Amino acid sequence: MKFNYKISYNIWLILPLLFFSCEDFVEVDAPDNKLVSDVVFSNDATAESAMTGIYNQLFLTDFANGQRTSVTFLSGLSADTFQNISSSNITRMEFEQHEITADNPGNLDIWASAYNLIYLTNSLLEGLNNSEQISSDLKTQLEGEARFIRAFSYFYLVNLYGDVPLIISTNYHENQLATRTSTAGVYEQIISDLEIAVDSLGSEYKNGERTTVNKFAAASLLARVYLYLEDWEAAERLSSEVIDQNGTYEILQDFDQVFLANSKEAIWQISPLGGGGQITNTNEGSLFIIDPIFSFFAVIKMEEDFVEQFDQEDQRLSNWIGFNEELDAYFPFKYKVWSSNEFPIIEYSMVLRLAEQYLIRSEARAKQGDLAGAIEDLDVIRMRAGLASVEENDPGIGQDALLDLIMAERQKELFAEWSHRWLDLKRTDRANEALGSNPLWEPTDMLYPIPSQEREKNPNLSQNPGY
């Protein structure tokens, strides 16, 4: 049985819940619930430390850690954003070429690590529910945080794989043979979790650190969910709730400030402290930046066709995209720190930020026919980038052309962040057009395969078409 030796200190408080590997998720023995109840949920301090452990685990969890097994990286290869520098790594090449096999280890890492994180949140929720020692206010808060993390994990599972097992308990006997729940059913659970999180969480960040979630983080993710479900009115309403928090969030005009720790544009971030304090740089920084001296460490570059779509005056081109002469390669340069073990920490990994909320509201307004409102939101992003406003240049733009422009701005604003481009291509039915020039592309490639290792252990898991 494999175990991650880098696991953070706080998560040891719920050690009985973690003694399983990514591959053995459905084969673990039932956790020792008495130990969990007696130790972890005996008082407020230990319960809160358990939640901190889950936050720290995000920096280590494959699908969320920003490294080579993350959705940011692998789905960036699936989209028209990244390209492998070398073709020798079969795992990564399968994502780029849309030839992912069911036994691809990177694909298994995404699936299994997301379910491991879900298992931790389920354990925490059950422990809170069974404990009489935790104060009422803290119990409400921790429930909201755990439900947010569970919804966040399921959001990526359902969008990458379609129908997936909906695991909301730690019952081993039920989970080991769970069948796939419909996409609609999974989304119902995501919405339920996020609505509870919005109601349960306050507006402040604990200790002023945006590495914990508040009600606006939950509202931000819920706005994205409703955008994907084409509930334009709900998406607009929720994004407006976040945008209207002027004292808490703002669009930063200095591009070098956006991805700093606790930046005013950040709604939720992940701290490198989850790695145990050995490094203080983000995983994205170490992965994406092509260091001029150590360029031989680089594994990906940006697609040149994508880089060429930027106008020369676009400040995102000059500030967020770097170029390495030795490899003749462009690279994402949103994070500036390649390697560090010094304090204070300069950058946190960005998960949710305000710019996305403006783009969500712009799209939602355009879909409802409020083109003036959509243009106003879009221009916030364009003018920060140093581009001419749509209001001045093309005030009579039609709905279809405006929606195309919104999608183009999403691609340029949110590249190298959390699979946005890949999921946008899928949800707007643009994948065939954008990726069809690849002779290996097939429409069934829009869903990743259910890992064969999981299907071998659970005969009730069906496979996606095309695999």
Side-chain angles (χ1 to χ4, degrees):
M1 178 167 56
K2 183 177 70 177
F3 188 68
N4 188 344
Y5 70 92
K6 295 190 296 182
I7 199 160
S8 62
Y9 171 76
N10 286 310
I11 209 73
W12 288 98
L13 288 170
I14 43 177
L15 178 64
L17 311 183
L18 281 173
F19 254 113
F20 54 88
S21 72
C22 291
E23 291 82 356
D24 298 329
F25 171 68
V26 296
E27 295 183 349
V28 295
D29 294 333
D32 186 342
N33 288 317
K34 184 177 187 301
L35 178 61
V36 172
S37 177
D38 289 352
V39 177
V40 178
F41 301 101
S42 60
N43 58 65
D44 284 8
T46 53
E48 206 164 356
S49 190
M51 187 66 228
T52 299
I54 292 178
Y55 282 127
N56 288 344
Q57 194 66 14
L58 286 162
F59 186 77
L60 304 172
T61 295
D62 287 318
F63 92 96
N65 65 11
Q67 264 291 358
R68 300 182 190 187
T69 55
S70 67
V71 295
T72 293
F73 177 69
L74 293 175
S75 293
L77 288 171
S78 294
D80 49 0
T81 306
F82 300 152
Q83 184 179 5
N84 285 295
I85 290 177
S86 169
S87 60
S88 62
N89 188 289
I90 296 175
T91 296
R92 297 197 295 267
M93 286 303 298
E94 287 184 0
F95 278 87
E96 180 183 336
Q97 296 175 342
H98 309 291
E99 287 292 290
I100 306 172
T101 57
D103 58 357
N104 182 293
N107 182 57
L108 174 63
D109 286 338
I110 292 175
W111 171 283
S113 63
Y115 272 111
N116 285 351
L117 195 59
I118 288 167
Y119 188 88
L120 289 179
T121 61
N122 290 342
S123 300
L124 185 69
L125 289 167
E126 289 179 1
L128 290 172
N129 185 60
N130 294 331
S131 174
E132 297 181 356
Q133 286 76 43
I134 310 301
S135 64
S136 177
D137 288 347
L138 180 62
K139 185 178 290 189
T140 298
Q141 174 188 309
L142 295 181
E143 179 184 0
E145 293 178 77
R147 284 182 179 271
F148 172 90
I149 299 296
R150 184 168 70 181
F152 175 75
S153 303
Y154 270 121
F155 174 83
Y156 282 97
L157 284 170
V158 77
N159 277 285
L160 294 176
Y161 299 98
D163 301 347
V164 294
L166 185 60
I167 307 296
I168 57 174
S169 78
T170 61
N171 187 308
Y172 164 74
H173 298 291
E174 291 179 0
N175 297 342
Q176 66 175 334
L177 296 175
T179 58
R180 298 171 70 180
T181 300
S182 70
T183 296
V186 177
Y187 264 121
E188 286 180 8
Q189 183 63 51
I190 291 172
I191 291 171
S192 175
D193 279 346
L194 290 176
E195 286 179 340
I196 291 173
V198 169
D199 291 338
S200 301
L201 298 171
S203 59
E204 302 297 321
Y205 290 98
K206 288 190 290 188
N207 302 317
E209 289 288 314
R210 301 189 180 205
T211 54
T212 59
V213 295
N214 64 1
K215 67 183 302 178
F216 300 117
S220 296
L221 183 55
L222 190 53
R224 185 197 296 177
V225 166
Y226 280 124
L227 185 81
Y228 278 47
L229 294 177
E230 301 185 354
D231 187 337
W232 315 120
E233 183 178 352
E236 179 185 3
R237 172 177 53 81
L238 286 157
S239 59
S240 293
E241 289 180 8
V242 180
I243 291 169
D244 290 344
Q245 304 304 310
N246 296 325
T248 305
Y249 311 111
E250 65 179 82
I251 296 294
L252 299 175
Q253 300 306 309
D254 185 345
F255 283 85
D256 289 341
Q257 300 290 316
V258 174
F259 290 85
L260 296 184
N262 297 310
S263 97
K264 293 283 282 187
E265 192 164 325
I267 299 172
W268 182 42
Q269 298 176 301
I270 295 174
S271 170
L273 284 178
Q278 298 176 9
I279 64 171
T280 56
N281 58 275
T282 65
N283 286 327
E284 291 89 346
S286 64
L287 175 64
F288 292 142
I289 297 172
I290 303 180
D291 185 86
I293 299 175
F294 300 101
S295 58
F296 51 84
F297 283 128
V299 296
I300 63 159
K301 59 184 178 180
M302 297 184 69
E303 288 273 9
E304 288 191 27
D305 288 346
F306 169 51
V307 176
E308 290 172 356
Q309 294 177 29
F310 286 82
D311 295 332
Q312 287 302 307
E313 64 269 24
D314 194 325
Q315 296 299 302
R316 292 169 297 198
L317 176 63
S318 55
N319 287 278
W320 284 352
I321 297 178
F323 182 75
N324 181 277
E325 293 184 359
E326 182 177 349
L327 298 180
D328 189 28
Y330 293 98
F331 60 89
F333 201 32
K334 290 180 171 179
Y335 299 93
K336 310 301 184 185
V337 182
W338 181 63
S339 177
S340 173
N341 59 6
E342 299 178 355
F343 292 89
I345 297 175
I346 296 174
E347 297 173 334
Y348 289 160
S349 297
M350 187 75 75
V351 190
L352 300 172
R353 63 185 176 98
L354 188 60
E356 183 198 356
Q357 296 303 307
Y358 274 99
L359 291 166
I360 286 174
R361 192 168 73 173
S362 180
E363 184 177 346
R365 285 175 166 177
K367 286 288 189 177
Q368 295 176 90
D370 179 10
L371 302 191
I375 290 170
E376 181 181 359
D377 284 335
L378 187 61
D379 280 345
V380 170
I381 305 303
R382 287 180 58 84
M383 293 178 71
R384 194 260 292 269
L387 301 175
S389 69
V390 179
E391 183 180 15
E392 292 181 1
N393 267 22
D394 195 1
I397 189 172
Q399 184 184 48
D400 291 342
L402 179 57
L403 287 168
D404 288 342
L405 188 56
I406 291 169
M407 295 309 300
E409 287 301 315
R410 286 183 63 90
Q411 182 182 13
K412 295 171 185 175
E413 180 68 25
L414 302 174
F415 73 90
E417 294 182 50
W418 287 94
S419 191
H420 281 291
R421 176 60 176 171
W422 175 240
L423 301 187
D424 280 347
L425 289 175
K426 292 171 56 178
R427 71 179 177 85
T428 60
D429 296 324
R430 297 167 185 251
N432 290 331
E433 177 184 355
L435 306 173
S437 60
N438 184 328
L440 299 177
W441 170 259
E442 297 179 1
T444 53
D445 294 330
M446 285 189 286
L447 290 178
Y448 291 167
I450 307 301
S452 58
Q453 295 91 330
E454 297 299 312
R455 298 188 66 231
E456 288 170 3
K457 292 179 293 187
N458 181 356
N460 292 331
L461 283 179
S462 59
Q463 185 57 275
N464 282 326
Y467 300 100

